[in-house]
Amino acid sequence: MLVLEGLQIGYGRKVLATLPPVTAVAAGEFVCLLGRNGQGKSTLLRTLGGFLAPVAGQVRLHGRPVTALRGVERARRIAVVLTERPQVGALGVMELVEMGRQPHTGWAGVLSEEDRRIAVAALDQVGGAHLAARMVDSLSDGERQRVMIARALAQQPDMMLLDEITAFLDLPSRVTIIDTLRRIAAEQGVAIVLSSHDLELSLQTADRLWLLPGGGRFVDGAPEDVALSGAVGSAFDQENLAFSLDSGRFESAMAAGRCVHVEGDDVATLWLSRALRRCGYGLEGNPDRAAHRIVLAAPGRWRIDDAMEASTIAEALDVLSMRRETC
């Protein structure tokens, strides 16, 4: 559906990133775009939508350059959802969703019964049917983003571009929105590209990752391949924080000198492992290379270094604090 040919993105003569000779996105693919601020995420989205000319190369949608699409045709094929809260005054939810039908209603803007049916279906697809009678200004941030996605769906686009739309949402809302987008891509055959700062959630949900690690580079691949390549670490690691391939999340760099071997696969021990990571300990699979060893002695109770026991996670952390050594 979407083909990027020899694409370079940037402003004027400034090149932010150079893509491979050919990068393609199939119908129904859910792509997450990652990178630090200023590396070109928004610039790439604007280029994909035809709102910004590439420095070199071109973007084709169904074989046609997106820059050649004009007015109504572009609005029918490409939908955009941004982070910013729209200032809509006293507009109802259903009225906002129905605005997505404007590219299809002609110059008069009169909605047919079919247009209204499509708008209702779009709101239902994002789990927002219960919001239909509400005013937009009364919605929470998460509810508002659902409605904005429904408005985009009402356009019946081939491609959706979403720029940091989960930036101000709490974790449950972020998970719900991402899951909804993934389902829409698969069920509706819409190619979706979402820029995000939520690396861990993107690794769990995306069909593909596009990573802009800086220095004009562009990395494209399955989330697991991108992580294993070391590109995630090179893009995001800091002096006090590093991406761990073992856990798939960022961990304190202090962990390298504070190693613990943990034995046990019950739920409480899994949460103990999380607490250890949070406190800067590294989890070592080989007990011979670890400074400390924690073994499940009984459900909800651990023996530490064959010397002391703890019945809560807080107690286990206190014991380690007293016994801590350097690996």
Side-chain angles (χ1 to χ4, degrees):
M1 177 184 290
L2 181 69
V3 179
L4 319 181
E5 299 176 343
L7 194 66
Q8 285 188 327
I9 61 167
Y11 292 91
R13 295 182 178 179
K14 181 179 181 180
V15 177
L16 293 176
T18 299
L19 279 66
V22 177
T23 302
V25 180
E29 274 200 297
F30 178 47
V31 180
C32 284
L33 171 61
L34 303 171
R36 288 177 177 269
N37 288 337
Q39 299 303 327
K41 297 190 302 297
S42 295
T43 300
L44 178 53
L45 288 182
R46 287 168 56 84
T47 304
L48 295 182
F51 308 109
L52 181 68
V55 175
Q58 62 182 341
V59 179
R60 292 184 180 273
L61 183 62
H62 291 305
R64 294 188 59 193
V66 294
T67 51
L69 302 178
R70 292 290 182 266
V72 171
E73 185 178 7
R74 180 181 296 182
R76 287 180 176 179
R77 293 183 175 273
I78 303 171
V80 178
V81 183
L82 304 176
T83 307
E84 290 78 10
R85 293 170 59 98
Q87 303 301 315
V88 294
L91 193 67
V93 165
M94 206 64 241
E95 293 174 290
L96 179 57
V97 176
E98 289 172 348
M99 290 175 64
R101 295 304 299 161
Q102 286 186 346
H104 303 271
T105 57
W107 66 270
V110 177
L111 295 173
S112 65
E113 287 302 314
E114 178 66 6
D115 291 321
R116 297 186 189 280
R117 184 195 65 76
I118 291 171
V120 169
L123 189 58
D124 185 59
Q125 286 170 23
V126 300
H130 63 290
L131 304 173
R134 296 267 300 275
M135 302 302 292
V136 175
D137 285 346
S138 72
L139 303 178
S140 68
D141 286 339
E143 291 170 335
R144 186 181 294 250
Q145 289 296 44
R146 287 195 190 206
V147 172
M148 295 306 297
I149 294 171
R151 180 201 58 77
L153 282 175
Q155 293 175 229
Q156 296 183 306
D158 298 320
M159 175 172 64
M160 290 178 62
L161 306 174
L162 305 104
D163 193 7
E164 299 286 0
I165 65 165
T166 62
F168 303 113
L169 304 183
D170 58 27
L171 179 58
S173 296
R174 293 202 306 272
V175 172
T176 299
I177 291 294
I178 297 300
D179 183 66
T180 298
L181 290 171
R182 180 178 173 84
R183 175 174 51 80
I184 287 169
E187 294 179 356
Q188 305 295 319
V190 181
I192 294 181
V193 181
L194 166 73
S195 73
S196 174
H197 282 296
D198 200 328
L199 172 63
E200 293 176 18
L201 189 54
S202 298
L203 285 170
Q204 295 172 25
T205 57
D207 295 318
R208 287 165 63 188
L209 284 188
W210 285 354
L211 176 64
L212 294 172
R217 293 172 294 155
F218 176 84
V219 180
D220 172 22
E224 297 78 10
D225 287 332
V226 174
L228 289 170
S229 73
V232 172
S234 66
F236 294 103
D237 282 359
Q238 302 180 52
E239 183 177 350
N240 63 335
L241 200 66
F243 181 73
S244 168
L245 286 176
D246 292 332
S247 66
R249 59 170 62 92
F250 287 98
E251 297 180 358
S252 170
M254 293 188 298
R258 304 166 67 186
C259 304
V260 182
H261 174 75
V262 181
E263 296 181 11
D265 57 4
D266 62 307
V267 173
T269 302
L270 294 176
W271 279 90
L272 171 60
S273 298
R274 288 172 59 95
L276 291 169
R277 290 192 183 99
R278 172 174 56 80
C279 293
Y281 290 93
L283 299 184
E284 173 55 61
N286 187 341
D288 295 331
R289 292 203 298 260
H292 304 282
R293 183 183 181 190
I294 300 177
V295 179
L296 183 66
R301 190 168 188 83
W302 302 276
R303 188 160 184 80
I304 302 170
D305 294 340
D306 292 325
M308 302 180 70
E309 290 196 1
S311 58
T312 68
I313 290 175
E315 286 181 7
L317 294 175
D318 286 341
V319 170
L320 279 179
S321 181
M322 290 186 293
R323 300 180 60 83
R324 190 167 65 214
E325 299 174 4
T326 301
C327 291

